Amino acid sequence: MAQTGVDDVGLIDHHCHGLAKSDLDRAAFENLISESFDPAPRGTTHFDQPLGLAVRRWCAPVLDLDPFPDPDAYLARRRELGPEEVGRRFLEQAGLAELLLNTGYRSDEVHEPEGMAGLSGLPTHEVVRLEAVAEGVARSGVEAGGYAEAYADALARASADGVGFKTIVAYRGGFDFDPSRPSRREVTDAAGRFLGSGADGPVRLDDPVLLRHGIWTGADVAVERGFPIQFHVGWGDPDLVLHLTNPTLLTGLIRDLARLDVSVTLLHCYPFHREAAYLAAVFPNVYFDVGSALHYHGPSSGRLLAEAMEVAPFTKLLFSTDAFAVAEQYYLGSMLFRRALQGIFDEWIAAGHCDAKEADRIAELIGRENARRIYPLSETARA
């Protein structure tokens, strides 16, 4: 078995979230290691899935426990150490070099960029969620006729220190939408409906016209700032309809954004990781990762990454953890990625497809250099 430098690559986590500020009880922790909205069925536990097994096997030793502790014992040790120490341990073991932190989701519960920079000791950059900015505009009291300008101004302010945008249109109706830029009249009419919808409760942007408008306004900023736009794809909680998040449905929009030289990064992608790889292979502006799907696969993570790499250019695959609230996801995302990639290279080298030097070069591309090429990281970090 040839020795490669996969373990030495300082990974750029191009899509992640803040860690929880407070201790987590068992119910809260189990909720965060499952994409379901519901507790595990009576008499079962979310620990009995691939990610839960990985937590008990690989994370327990980081907390000074033997592998495979009882879940209650694991969580008791976690509480004993406290959220700050748990976060520091797992982040240190992850071997990351930079964090690109997605903001605008449950921000009162998790650390924002400054907090994550302090906790991790790593350069930390912000990726701004398009829909969260729109929902903030809706709460500002703007009139429908002024919505387009108010949104553009708010987006410019929110992204002043950012490195990219993210859209969750996958969760707000899916990708089977008209990709064209909406007219001013369409935006004003839609804004009238949207601005009235939050009068009696939380504001949630799900109007297809304003979702498109958000993407296109983001694209205007992206052209000026060199930002990619991240798209959640596939694997995620049941707030989406899975078949409507097949990324091939974005083909028309991808073509339009390619003409503007705006990069599209497809996140997670399972079970559409092969479709994402195809899009990355045939469109110059498409990049993708397998994100949180990797650690949710646990013991099968190597097969998932191998499938993602079947036809994808090595220059188009990115690394991310999509860690949210629980630090274990940072560690497992990194560790399982490294093990999976090393396993792939071992097979390739044994079969004569490449050598250790080529494997190291590919690992650097996927682990960090592709992200450095498409995100403007040089002057935006929180430290």
Side-chain angles (χ1 to χ4, degrees):
M1 184 182 300
Q3 183 64 41
T4 70
V6 170
D7 287 343
D8 299 326
V9 178
L11 300 172
I12 294 179
D13 191 344
H14 89 110
H15 176 69
C16 55
H17 303 263
L19 296 180
K21 299 174 183 177
S22 58
D23 282 325
L24 301 169
D25 62 18
R26 179 158 179 170
F29 188 87
E30 289 209 27
N31 175 262
L32 290 165
I33 61 168
S34 170
E35 289 289 358
S36 176
F37 288 150
D38 298 310
R42 185 175 303 151
T44 71
T45 170
H46 286 317
F47 276 95
D48 281 338
Q49 59 175 335
L51 175 55
L53 181 67
V55 168
R56 293 173 56 234
R57 166 59 185 94
W58 300 110
C59 296
V62 180
L63 304 186
D64 308 316
L65 298 171
D66 291 332
F68 306 116
D70 176 83
D72 285 332
Y74 179 85
L75 293 170
R77 175 59 175 162
R78 210 178 182 280
R79 288 191 295 273
E80 179 185 357
L81 291 171
E84 300 292 312
E85 176 63 15
V86 168
R88 279 191 290 270
R89 288 193 183 197
F90 284 120
L91 283 164
E92 181 180 351
Q93 291 294 313
L96 303 175
E98 300 186 52
L99 306 179
L100 276 61
L101 207 72
N102 181 229
T103 58
Y105 177 61
R106 294 169 66 174
S107 299
D108 57 329
E109 302 173 38
V110 298
H111 289 288
E112 291 287 89
E114 292 82 0
M116 285 301 295
L119 189 60
S120 68
L122 299 173
T124 301
H125 314 265
E126 184 174 10
V127 174
V128 175
R129 186 176 292 206
L130 296 172
E131 292 79 12
V133 173
E135 289 159 359
V137 170
R139 290 188 289 268
S140 72
V142 67
E143 298 289 334
Y147 175 84
E149 288 79 10
Y151 180 71
D153 291 344
L155 195 62
R157 290 193 302 273
S159 62
D161 296 319
V163 297
F165 294 124
K166 180 189 177 184
T167 174
I168 54 166
V169 66
Y171 284 108
R172 305 296 172 90
F175 299 152
D176 191 16
F177 58 84
D178 175 4
S180 64
R181 186 191 293 264
S183 69
R184 175 60 182 259
R185 179 60 178 270
E186 289 176 308
V187 171
T188 300
D189 290 347
R193 298 188 296 271
F194 172 51
L195 297 174
S197 67
D200 300 317
V203 177
R204 176 184 167 91
L205 178 62
D206 56 12
D207 184 280
V209 171
L210 295 187
L211 289 165
R212 284 161 51 209
H213 175 71
I215 293 168
W216 278 106
T217 305
D220 292 337
V221 178
V223 170
E224 296 177 6
R225 303 279 305 280
F227 285 5
I229 302 178
Q230 301 176 347
F231 284 74
H232 179 106
V233 173
W235 178 257
D237 67 47
D239 200 23
L240 54 74
V241 178
L242 188 61
H243 74 277
L244 293 177
T245 67
N246 185 321
T248 60
L249 294 170
L250 292 171
T251 299
L253 181 63
I254 287 168
R255 288 194 177 108
D256 289 343
L257 294 176
R259 284 189 277 270
L260 299 177
D261 197 26
V262 173
S263 294
V264 171
T265 61
L266 307 175
L267 307 174
H268 319 308
C269 297
Y270 178 81
F272 307 116
H273 49 292
R274 282 175 161 143
E275 287 88 340
Y278 162 78
L279 293 170
V282 300
F283 290 107
N285 62 325
V286 176
Y287 299 78
F288 78 112
D289 68 32
V290 288
S292 64
L294 195 77
H295 55 255
Y296 272 99
H297 273 66
S300 301
S301 54
R303 183 168 65 247
L304 173 66
L305 186 59
E307 290 174 355
M309 292 177 67
E310 287 170 343
V311 299
F314 307 134
T315 54
K316 294 299 202 71
L317 187 57
L318 302 164
F319 167 78
S320 82
T321 64
D322 189 37
F324 178 82
V326 292
E328 286 86 346
Q329 293 175 349
Y330 275 109
Y331 171 60
L332 290 173
S334 169
M335 185 273 290
L336 291 173
F337 170 79
R338 293 180 198 273
R339 287 171 60 92
L341 192 58
Q342 183 65 65
I344 292 165
F345 288 152
D346 287 344
E347 290 187 13
W348 289 7
I349 292 169
H353 294 304
C354 74
D355 58 18
K357 183 178 179 181
E358 280 299 297
D360 287 348
R361 186 180 66 85
I362 295 167
E364 283 284 340
L365 287 170
I366 297 171
R368 57 182 291 111
E369 294 305 322
N370 294 339
R372 293 198 64 81
R373 192 171 65 254
I374 66 170
Y375 289 95
L377 302 183
S378 57
E379 299 177 357
T380 58
R382 316 292 176 90

